[in-house]
Amino acid sequence: MSTQAHAQTLAQPEQELVKGLGLTSATTLVMGSMIGSGIFIVSADIARLVDSPGLLILAWVVTGFMTISCALAYGELAAMMPKAGGQYVYLRESLGPLWGFLYGWTMFLVIQTGTIAAVGVAFGKFLGVFFPSISSTHWIVHLWKAPPIPIGPMVLGNMDVGLNTQNLVAIITIVVLTVVNVFGIKTGAFIQNIFTFAKTAALLGLVIAGVLLFRNPAVVAANFSDFWRMGAKHADLGIASPVLLVITLIGVAQVGSLFAADAWNNVTFTAAEVRNPRRNLPLSLAVGTGTVILLYILANFAYLNVLPMRGDPHGTTIIARGIQYAAEDRVATAAMISILGSVGGGLMAAAILVSTFGCNNGLILAGARVYYAMAKDDLFFHQAARVHPKYHTPVNALLVQAVWTAILCLSGSYGQLLDYTIFAVLVFYILTILGLFVLRRTQPHAERPYRAFGYPVLPAIYVVMAIFIEVVLLRYKPQYTWPGLIIVLLGVPVYFVWHGSKNGSSAEKREVWEER
């Protein structure tokens, strides 16, 4: 097959899937996948790390710049290749099938399924606010307590395996949302639209309450009178230069903020089902990420208006514990309790229930499209390429995703695995942006309805910043980085075994790959 003929094949729409997503649904998928439980929690950990109100905000601003810059670059790839599988396809076409497989492998093993499991358990945790019997300590079947196993900087194990009421709720929600998404892309999109509008309204309500209506004058004075102050606790890092210290702290802090802002790329997985994708995909990425990042930064200003930055881990009041030591890191809950008392806590718990449920709907809807695309390339179980004859959804890909996610819920390891993936997630973002540069060189005449804003400067800045963050994480948070790298590398032998076993059925695909 010639390069031109292959390019024409790429431009053709998927025949098995139906185009049920308009601009609104694509944008709510971007926003709904991003807004989960992270924004309500991770600011506590970031605050403990940076120990400065100004650096807390700066960490989120850096995350916003990186997220939007990356999304704008992805817009070009999405408009150029509006195929099911999104990022998997971009990596396959720009860098080769191995890199696409490694992304899909890590997605299935940990990134997507682990995130779905963690968000599902977060839903169960906050449902326990209203129904105390739903708890991680209320066991239905307790199978095993895995001991801690230290391996270098990692500690594996150290989790309870079995079924408790909390992860049972998670599994039930995952099954329900999987079934909903089997019944057509429009059904899943309808659920996504409702829950995204609801949780965006809740987050906006938090911002309005904290920034405009219920500011605490004493807290504002404490946080903003010396906005950029640095704490003495950073001396043990051994970095003499204040500028390098700030850059390093912000780099390490990206573990939490980038995770909270992640999953915006999920809309690219559903590209074959987006109407007018060459227009709507880039636009949904820009509008969706821009809106969410603005809300995230304003939410942190809201926290700083009602809670002191610094706190005492042994404090007996919400104000005494501050942002840094909010109970169980639930900063948003502490902020709302400070504003409205116990009613505020209940409202925030309800808002997070809405947020996590809607987030998982988007993750489940989008993730299955990656495995569907891999199966069509003979790089996943071939049955995952089956589309429901009536509803035109990748039914088997949805089901296998649900089964593995449920196993992760039972294993008790998903949270640990999830911690290990932020490094890997950033690796694949870097590779995909590098793939944009490769495609500009190898396919200069390909149709590009949208060209990345700021190319080549913004994409290049993103790559440099992301590589710096990866280096900083390798140095200062090895427990999160090396395991993620190992998970990715384990996919290399799996790829060659799988690819070798499919030689007979993949001759044409190999011819195309070798030609590229």
Side-chain angles (χ1 to χ4, degrees):
M1 185 184 292
S2 68
T3 303
Q4 182 179 3
H6 179 62
Q8 290 173 348
T9 300
L10 285 175
Q12 294 173 356
E14 299 283 350
Q15 297 301 314
E16 296 89 345
L17 304 175
V18 297
K19 293 187 178 295
L21 299 176
L23 176 60
T24 298
S25 294
T27 304
T28 60
L29 182 56
V30 173
M31 296 175 63
S33 298
M34 291 176 72
I35 306 173
S37 59
I39 183 59
F40 305 110
I41 295 172
V42 300
S43 291
D45 185 60
I46 296 173
R48 289 193 295 270
L49 176 69
V50 300
D51 202 31
S52 162
L55 295 188
L56 172 65
I57 297 299
L58 183 59
W60 287 98
V61 169
V62 169
T63 291
F65 173 80
M66 292 185 66
T67 299
I68 295 172
S69 297
C70 196
L72 291 173
Y74 269 53
E76 175 173 324
L77 297 169
M80 181 183 175
M81 295 175 281
K83 308 284 287 182
Q87 190 169 346
Y88 160 75
V89 175
Y90 313 153
L91 287 164
R92 183 193 71 193
E93 297 304 318
S94 61
L95 303 181
L98 170 62
W99 296 102
F101 175 82
L102 291 178
Y103 177 68
W105 153 269
T106 313
M107 278 280 295
F108 179 73
L109 194 67
V110 178
I111 295 174
Q112 197 79 357
T113 51
T115 302
I116 294 169
V119 173
V121 170
F123 179 88
K125 178 183 293 187
F126 283 93
L127 191 61
V129 173
F130 301 101
F131 303 99
S133 61
I134 299 174
S135 168
S136 61
T137 60
H138 190 168
W139 289 97
I140 300 170
V141 179
H142 187 264
L143 299 176
W144 185 42
K145 169 66 176 179
I149 305 171
I151 302 177
M154 304 178 282
V155 179
L156 303 179
N158 196 29
M159 72 274 189
D160 290 289
V161 180
L163 182 68
N164 55 53
T165 52
Q166 185 170 279
N167 61 27
L168 175 61
V169 167
I171 292 170
I172 290 172
T173 61
I174 290 162
V175 170
V176 168
L177 288 171
T178 297
V179 171
V180 165
N181 280 284
V182 167
F183 287 111
I185 186 71
K186 290 184 178 180
T187 305
F190 177 73
I191 297 293
Q192 189 67 22
N193 291 346
I194 290 175
F195 278 86
T196 298
F197 285 129
K199 62 183 172 181
T200 302
L203 191 55
L204 184 60
L206 170 65
V207 168
I208 292 172
V211 174
L212 299 178
L213 301 180
F214 299 102
R215 302 172 69 194
N216 183 321
V219 167
V220 170
N223 286 333
F224 292 92
S225 60
D226 190 8
F227 193 58
W228 297 102
R229 67 178 179 268
M230 296 286 289
K233 62 186 294 185
H234 300 134
D236 57 355
L237 292 177
I239 301 175
S241 168
V243 174
L244 185 57
L245 175 61
V246 168
I247 293 174
T248 301
L249 288 172
I250 296 300
V252 177
Q254 296 305 300
V255 167
S257 52
L258 280 175
F259 172 74
D262 196 26
W264 52 266
N265 62 328
N266 275 225
V267 73
T268 69
F269 306 157
T270 67
E273 296 153 286
V274 176
R275 294 191 294 272
N276 192 9
R278 298 181 187 280
R279 169 186 177 271
N280 289 339
L281 281 172
L283 196 53
S284 66
L285 283 165
V287 174
T289 55
T291 302
V292 172
I293 291 301
L294 177 61
L295 285 173
Y296 278 9
I297 293 172
L298 290 175
N300 279 273
F301 273 109
Y303 299 153
L304 289 171
N305 275 320
V306 297
L307 296 172
M309 170 78 178
R310 291 176 175 168
D312 179 356
H314 306 294
T316 57
T317 66
I318 287 174
I319 295 297
R321 295 181 71 92
I323 293 174
Q324 291 179 327
Y325 299 102
E328 297 187 50
D329 285 357
R330 296 176 183 172
V331 181
T333 302
M336 288 301 291
I337 292 175
S338 177
I339 292 171
L340 298 175
S342 59
V343 173
L347 287 174
M348 184 48 60
I352 294 174
L353 286 175
V354 171
S355 182
T356 51
F357 191 83
C359 178
N360 253 358
N361 181 72
L363 295 172
I364 289 168
L365 183 157
R369 273 66 182 176
V370 175
Y371 322 132
Y372 163 83
M374 293 177 68
K376 288 177 72 69
D377 288 342
D378 286 328
L379 290 176
F380 198 68
F381 304 109
H382 72 276
Q383 286 295 327
R386 178 178 176 266
V387 173
H388 195 286
K390 180 178 179 181
Y391 302 112
H392 303 284
T393 52
V395 57
N396 287 348
L398 282 163
L399 294 177
V400 73
Q401 175 180 254
V403 169
W404 179 242
T405 303
I407 291 171
L408 289 179
C409 287
L410 291 173
S411 72
S413 62
Y414 55 87
Q416 192 176 72
L417 290 172
L418 201 59
D419 287 341
Y420 297 162
T421 64
I422 198 64
F423 181 85
V425 168
L426 213 50
V427 165
F428 287 115
Y429 281 143
I430 293 169
L431 289 172
T432 305
I433 298 300
L434 291 176
L436 173 64
F437 286 92
V438 170
L439 290 170
R440 284 284 187 107
R441 180 177 57 83
T442 59
Q443 299 184 28
H445 304 299
E447 184 181 359
R448 290 179 170 84
Y450 163 81
R451 289 178 174 264
F453 178 81
Y455 181 91
V457 176
L458 277 183
I461 291 174
Y462 174 86
V463 170
V464 170
M465 291 177 69
I467 290 174
F468 175 78
I469 290 170
E470 295 285 64
V471 171
V472 167
L473 292 179
L474 283 168
R475 168 65 178 85
Y476 293 102
K477 286 203 171 184
Q479 72 273 25
Y480 293 134
T481 50
W482 291 108
L485 187 58
I486 291 169
I487 289 170
V488 175
L489 294 178
L490 284 174
V492 175
V494 174
Y495 167 78
F496 286 108
V497 170
W498 197 297
H499 189 50
S501 69
K502 299 294 182 180
N503 279 339
S505 62
S506 304
E508 185 177 350
K509 292 185 180 67
R510 280 204 316 279
E511 179 187 348
V512 173
W513 291 334
E514 289 167 1
E515 191 176 53
R516 285 203 302 275

